[in-house]
Amino acid sequence: MSSPEEKTLILKSSDNEEFLVKESVAVQCITIKNLVEDGCDLDAIPLLNVDSKNLAWIIEFMEKYADSTSTDAEKKDFDTEFVKKPFNDVLGLILAANYLNFPALMDVMCDACANEMKLWSVEQVREKFHIQNDYTEEEEKAVRAENFWAFE
Amino acid sequence: MSFKNIVREMKEMKDGVGSISRRGVEGKHWRSRARSHIAPDLAAPSQPIEQGQWANLPPELLLDVIRRVEESVTSWPARTVVVFCASVCKSWRDITKEIVKPLEECGRLTFPISLKQPGPRDAPIQCFIKRDRTTSTYCLYFGLTPLAAEDQSDKLLLAAKKIRRATSTEFVISLVRDDFSRASNTYLGKLRSNFLGTKFTVYDSQPPNDAAVQHNSFLSRRFHSKRVSPRLPAYNNSAATVSYELNVLRTRGPRRMQCIMHSVPVSSIQEGGAAPTPTSFPQIIEKSSPRLVSKGKEPETYFSSPNLSPNLSSFGEPLVLRNKAPRWHEQLQCWCLNFKGRVTVASVKNFQLVAAFDPSLNIPAAEQEKVILQFGKIGKDIFTMDYCYPISAFQAFAISLSSFDTKPACE
């Protein structure tokens, strides 16, 4: 039996694209790690909620973080560049990282999301998150009065 | 519902085809460890991002994001974003309110209601007051001292306008500096002096109510509360009384100050005690309607300690504050108080308030000497004001304002 470090997994995205990833790298995703430990021996691991676009990014991130030669400073620089994506993609990666249970990626993406939100107004938050304002006019008035520091 | 079930289904579909051996499926104990960090519906195939889908972010995920936002913005003006989060929609409001702890616990002013909550126990909230003599207004800002840049960037907390009347002086206190109307929902209360300027009463527009104790009840509050209780009209509740006395040495010595906090029990500084902590302002009454019944939420007051009786009629003795006696400095030939650098100009207005206590009240030693409110001059028309538990910014500001209405009888 080949040693675990050399084993390669095939990860299949929701749009049926297959990616080869070393097992030692892929197990940063706890979901995948559990599957491997449970003895899953499928050809390819289907990731039904992750499309190829996101999966490619996730693999890029995983490989950077699994690389023992990269320093903390390098990782930070990598993160800074990595998160420079349109906001919809940032949210997409958060959902994917959640689905795959990938803590390092979750941390980086949530922080990026938080940092962007700091620059916005209430209306912009609604727009970027595609949120329907479910307040009635009267409730909206009351909320604005209650939180008027945000509307000065 | 977990990932392994999907995989099992896929394997069953491939039964007899390809390289999958049956031993991988049968009799194998699939541990349920493969539970996702937050369990989304894994059976659904992924869909393109749709309008409104983000509104259905799993709540725990949203909580995580908003919590990170809240933790990274500790000061103003950055902290405005937390208030934005609370204004977006109902679910965001609930989550944000759950994350943000009252001022006493988190030490950070977040929502306007934070100004009515007791300060943190360990470190004071540091603010400064700017006086504008031309308009007789006094503005309380958050921060150590005014920023070097223009004052627009300082975070305004409260404002007061001094109004002289025939037999008294009033300071009307508001959340904004351009509206001191008592009918506005930014009106918080007032400070009124007696004729001699020796006794002041602080009035709070928000009445205390004997709501039940609620600790983590933010999520249970909804806009359409079924309880509709009559609200007293333009209620002016006496929150505190401040009195000044001449020092026995008459004009040479510092005056004596005493504050009776009608809305803060002395039990708040006893072991395990708590101070009233409102979590919302009273609902705005429709100005056009003569009815006094308010729709929706009732003002909530909760006590941070579960041991404190919720019934305000068993309030007990009010907390009494007195000013710390300065010491006479022989070499400098003046009265001195240790303001720890926060007050730099000598003035009869400067004071430090500590709790006045009876030994029988069993106040912990650490609380006995703690300066609850400190006020003093640092420059022309600029004063610092630091306050901590158990009083709130509103109470601290009102008490400090009394210092501005000095009369010759008192100096």
Side-chain angles (χ1 to χ4, degrees):
Chain A
M1 183 166 104
S2 55
S3 63
E5 280 73 53
E6 293 163 1
K7 190 170 172 205
T8 307
L9 297 176
I10 303 174
L11 301 179
K12 190 152 85 169
S13 69
S14 58
D15 44 350
N16 287 321
E17 216 176 296
E18 295 191 350
F19 296 79
L20 284 168
V21 185
K22 280 198 221 155
E23 185 181 290
S24 56
V25 170
V27 295
Q28 289 178 90
C29 294
I30 297 179
T31 311
I32 296 180
K33 177 169 180 278
N34 288 343
L35 268 180
V36 166
E37 286 179 2
D38 284 348
C40 161
D41 56 356
L42 278 179
D43 288 349
I45 298 178
L47 302 174
L48 293 177
N49 270 19
V50 188
D51 63 16
S52 51
K53 179 175 87 165
N54 280 307
L55 191 49
W57 281 331
I58 290 170
I59 291 172
E60 182 194 342
F61 190 93
M62 281 201 289
E63 284 176 348
K64 184 71 182 179
Y65 267 62
D67 183 3
S68 50
T69 62
S70 55
T71 64
D72 281 343
E74 282 172 9
K75 281 189 188 151
K76 244 189 133 51
D77 288 338
F78 171 80
D79 291 346
T80 311
E81 284 309 307
F82 186 80
V83 301
K84 285 184 186 166
K85 291 177 165 59
F87 190 69
N88 265 345
D89 291 336
V90 170
L91 277 187
L93 278 168
I94 290 179
L95 281 177
N98 174 45
Y99 172 81
L100 293 172
N101 196 355
F102 188 177
L105 181 60
M106 273 293 277
D107 282 346
V108 169
M109 297 317 296
C110 283
D111 280 340
C113 181
N115 280 331
E116 279 221 45
M117 282 169 68
K118 283 190 226 178
L119 307 169
W120 299 342
S121 66
V122 177
E123 279 78 14
Q124 279 176 307
V125 171
R126 284 179 184 148
E127 187 194 305
K128 303 254 187 181
F129 277 84
H130 301 289
I131 290 173
Q132 274 294 90
N133 180 7
D134 56 357
Y135 288 129
T136 64
E137 206 178 292
E138 189 184 284
E139 287 168 345
E140 176 89 23
K141 238 174 53 171
V143 168
R144 282 184 179 247
E146 178 188 69
N147 297 328
F148 85 98
W149 280 351
F151 301 95
E152 282 179 308
Chain B
M1 186 57 191
S2 69
F3 196 81
K4 62 173 164 56
N5 290 327
I6 315 304
V7 177
R8 185 185 298 156
E9 275 172 32
M10 304 270 314
K11 293 184 89 164
E12 281 163 4
M13 276 162 51
K14 278 186 158 191
D15 194 24
V17 177
S19 60
I20 308 298
S21 67
R22 297 181 87 209
R23 71 170 162 80
V25 179
E26 257 153 65
K28 189 99 183 182
H29 170 59
W30 291 87
R31 283 166 289 168
S32 61
R33 277 194 307 140
R35 182 178 297 284
S36 226
H37 172 55
I38 295 151
D41 183 5
L42 299 181
S46 85
Q47 292 158 352
I49 294 158
E50 281 169 10
Q51 187 105 3
Q53 185 178 342
W54 295 123
N56 300 321
L57 266 181
E60 293 89 345
L61 195 49
L62 191 54
L63 191 82
D64 198 13
V65 173
I66 297 181
R67 179 177 284 131
R68 284 169 198 264
V69 171
E70 195 269 339
E71 280 169 5
S72 66
V73 285
T74 52
S75 190
W76 291 87
R79 205 154 168 81
T80 323
V81 74
V82 180
V83 193
F84 289 162
C85 289
S87 315
V88 166
C89 66
K90 287 180 186 167
S91 53
W92 280 56
R93 179 178 183 270
D94 289 343
I95 287 177
T96 311
K97 293 270 190 187
E98 184 187 326
I99 290 170
V100 178
K101 303 294 171 212
L103 180 62
E104 184 190 334
E105 284 177 52
C106 72
R108 300 172 203 152
L109 297 166
T110 314
F111 303 106
I113 195 65
S114 311
L115 299 172
K116 302 296 292 293
Q117 297 178 340
R121 291 186 188 242
D122 34 16
I125 300 279
Q126 295 173 306
C127 312
F128 61 90
I129 298 176
K130 265 193 195 168
R131 165 171 60 182
D132 184 342
R133 291 178 196 258
T134 55
T135 54
S136 294
T137 50
Y138 303 78
C139 290
L140 178 74
Y141 296 92
F142 176 72
L144 294 173
T145 52
L147 295 176
E150 314 208 305
D151 66 358
Q152 273 79 9
S153 44
D154 289 316
K155 172 70 194 153
L156 177 75
L157 300 178
L158 295 167
K161 190 168 175 82
K162 184 166 169 177
I163 302 169
R164 282 201 189 281
R165 301 198 190 284
T167 54
S168 68
T169 305
E170 267 185 14
F171 292 83
V172 177
I173 300 173
S174 162
L175 288 167
V176 293
R177 84 181 90 201
D178 47 12
D179 183 0
F180 293 100
S181 157
R182 286 179 54 178
S184 291
N185 53 20
T186 51
Y187 169 75
L188 284 190
K190 65 182 182 186
L191 176 78
R192 183 197 279 167
S193 78
N194 65 355
F195 181 66
L196 288 175
T198 53
K199 190 162 164 187
F200 298 77
T201 310
V202 178
Y203 294 98
D204 188 343
S205 66
Q206 183 174 9
N209 59 4
D210 33 3
V213 175
Q214 15 225 342
H215 318 294
N216 301 309
S217 66
F218 298 118
L219 282 184
S220 70
R221 291 289 142 207
R222 291 284 180 266
F223 267 101
H224 298 294
S225 163
K226 294 264 178 352
R227 299 180 303 145
V228 175
S229 324
R231 185 170 102 85
L232 299 162
Y235 184 78
N236 262 322
N237 168 50
S238 167
T241 332
V242 186
S243 45
Y244 289 85
E245 283 171 18
L246 288 180
N247 186 282
V248 287
L249 298 177
R250 289 276 146 163
T251 53
R252 287 307 307 275
R255 54 200 182 174
R256 292 204 329 203
M257 253 178 101
Q258 187 191 67
C259 302
I260 304 174
M261 309 299 301
H262 302 297
S263 50
V264 183
V266 72
S267 57
S268 61
I269 58 171
Q270 287 173 321
E271 200 72 43
T277 306
T279 54
S280 69
F281 287 110
Q283 185 73 359
I284 302 151
I285 288 185
E286 283 298 316
K287 289 174 200 166
S288 53
S289 162
R291 290 166 65 232
L292 303 174
V293 176
S294 76
K295 299 188 274 184
K297 282 172 54 161
E298 265 299 303
E300 300 146 2
T301 306
Y302 93 110
F303 291 79
S304 48
S305 160
N307 297 322
L308 194 66
S309 163
N311 188 349
L312 284 181
S313 65
S314 62
F315 189 82
E317 288 299 304
L319 176 67
V320 178
L321 305 175
R322 58 170 175 78
N323 65 328
K324 204 164 173 178
R327 277 191 285 246
W328 176 252
H329 199 290
E330 199 54 50
Q331 275 115 345
L332 295 178
Q333 286 287 297
C334 67
W335 296 97
C336 290
L337 273 173
N338 180 10
F339 287 99
K340 296 195 163 62
R342 287 286 286 153
V343 175
T344 53
V345 178
S347 166
V348 69
K349 292 180 179 38
N350 302 345
F351 64 79
Q352 282 182 328
L353 293 183
V354 295
F357 62 93
D358 193 284
S360 67
L361 285 174
N362 199 23
I363 312 283
E367 299 291 325
Q368 291 173 16
E369 278 308 298
K370 188 185 287 187
V371 175
I372 293 174
L373 172 59
Q374 173 175 290
F375 172 82
K377 193 169 186 176
I378 57 169
K380 184 170 178 352
D381 295 324
I382 302 193
F383 302 78
T384 55
M385 185 197 90
D386 299 347
Y387 74 98
C388 68
Y389 180 88
I391 66 171
S392 67
F394 168 73
Q395 293 159 342
F397 186 48
I399 294 170
S400 303
L401 287 171
S402 68
S403 205
F404 287 109
D405 195 42
T406 54
K407 300 285 197 298
C410 237
E411 300 198 37

